Amino acid sequence: MKQLLVAVVLIAVLPVAGCKRGPSAPPPLPPSAPAAPATPPPAPPPAGDLAPQLNEYDRLKSMASDEIDRMGLLKDIRFDYDSADIREADRQLLAENAEALKKFDFLRVTVEGHCDERGTVEYNLALGERRARAASDYLVSLGVGADRLKIVSYGKEVPVCQQSNEECWSRNRRDHFAVTGKAR
């Protein structure tokens, strides 16, 4: 019986004693070789070899008008239904446009008046002209030369949105400021 008890204890203890107890620590890394000294950076080129950096004024002056227009330098303004009155929020946008036009005094701009689809062609052409004139006059009052501004009305003929709902109509009631030329 004593032998049986010893055998049972050995059978129970041996599998537990033979189990591995978690991961062992990885062997230490061999000492690394001393890092080679970094190569010094190349010497800067002589100042005479660099192309001159253009300031923003000269950079825009060297660009084509349509490139400047695509940059979105000038922001559109919106109008209420059947109105050519400049809204208070849009006065700030016009002030920003005026500052840009005074900064880049070589730009020539066409103020395009647009309307929504409601109303006759004739009525919307007249309303678009009143809208363009109102924005142009406001820019002139802020110090932009009138000789640099041209107005045109597209009425309802050039919409940015084609749907027949108020959201779309409000997007179409706008003045767009297109950079169309540069002074010589």
Side-chain angles (χ1 to χ4, degrees):
M1 180 82 165
K2 200 176 192 183
Q3 288 177 337
L4 182 61
L5 182 61
V6 170
V8 170
V9 169
L10 281 175
I11 291 174
V13 171
L14 279 178
V16 173
C19 289
K20 197 171 185 178
R21 299 181 191 210
S24 62
L29 295 174
S32 61
T39 58
D49 290 351
L50 291 177
Q53 295 293 322
L54 296 177
N55 62 30
E56 190 178 18
Y57 183 90
D58 291 333
R59 185 177 62 85
L60 259 62
K61 195 164 188 173
S62 69
M63 293 172 67
S65 299
D66 60 333
E67 283 182 90
I68 299 169
D69 189 49
R70 284 192 302 269
M71 288 174 53
L73 180 67
L74 304 173
K75 306 296 181 218
D76 290 359
I77 62 169
R78 308 265 181 245
F79 291 91
D80 292 328
Y81 175 70
D82 198 30
S83 174
D85 295 334
I86 298 171
R87 301 182 303 185
E88 196 57 44
D90 292 313
R91 291 181 189 279
Q92 179 59 38
L93 290 174
L94 285 173
E96 292 170 15
N97 286 354
E99 287 306 310
L101 289 171
K102 288 189 279 187
K103 180 177 180 181
F104 303 110
D105 58 356
F106 55 88
L107 295 178
R108 297 199 182 278
V109 172
T110 299
V111 182
E112 302 173 350
H114 297 270
C115 302
D116 63 35
E117 66 185 38
R118 298 173 290 181
T120 65
V121 171
E122 295 81 13
Y123 179 80
N124 282 323
L125 284 171
L127 178 58
E129 185 174 345
R130 288 194 311 273
R131 288 175 174 170
R133 172 71 57 210
S136 176
D137 290 347
Y138 193 75
L139 289 172
V140 170
S141 77
L142 295 175
V144 177
D147 60 327
R148 297 174 50 211
L149 301 172
K150 181 174 99 171
I151 65 167
V152 65
S153 175
Y154 288 111
K156 61 182 179 178
E157 305 305 314
V158 187
V160 291
C161 183
Q162 300 287 333
Q163 299 166 351
S164 292
N165 59 47
E166 185 54 45
E167 181 183 338
C168 187
W169 293 331
S170 69
R171 289 177 55 206
N172 287 332
R173 295 189 304 259
R174 71 192 190 285
D175 274 349
H176 175 72
F177 300 87
V179 176
T180 52
K182 296 189 285 185
R184 305 251 172 216

